[in-house]
Amino acid sequence: HVLNHEQAFYIHAGRGVIVVEGTEHAVEPGHAIYASAGSRVSLRPLPGATLDFVIAWPVPDAPSRKP
């Protein structure tokens, strides 16, 4: 899908492939991937594998957490 905001992906466990703008990249535990807004991105596990990951993105107009 096409991202409407930047995203960061962190691979926790398993192995897979992330495709960013048509280019495939192998991913494994400990990898972190940044994708800018407007990028076309897909993420999938390798055949027969599982893939555990975290996705983070900015929250627009989030309240400040300053003390």
Side-chain angles (χ1 to χ4, degrees):
H1 68 280
V2 176
L3 302 179
N4 59 4
H5 46 72
E6 61 190 347
Q7 288 187 349
F9 301 81
Y10 177 77
I11 308 304
H12 174 71
R15 302 206 185 292
V17 174
I18 189 165
V19 182
V20 180
E21 292 298 319
T23 302
E24 291 191 1
H25 305 274
V27 294
E28 59 186 52
H31 282 180
I33 303 95
Y34 170 82
S36 59
S39 297
R40 181 171 295 278
V41 177
S42 66
L43 179 62
R44 66 179 185 274
L46 292 177
T50 60
L51 187 60
D52 295 332
F53 57 93
V54 175
I55 303 173
W57 60 88
V59 177
D61 302 323
S64 173
R65 293 192 162 212
K66 293 179 185 175

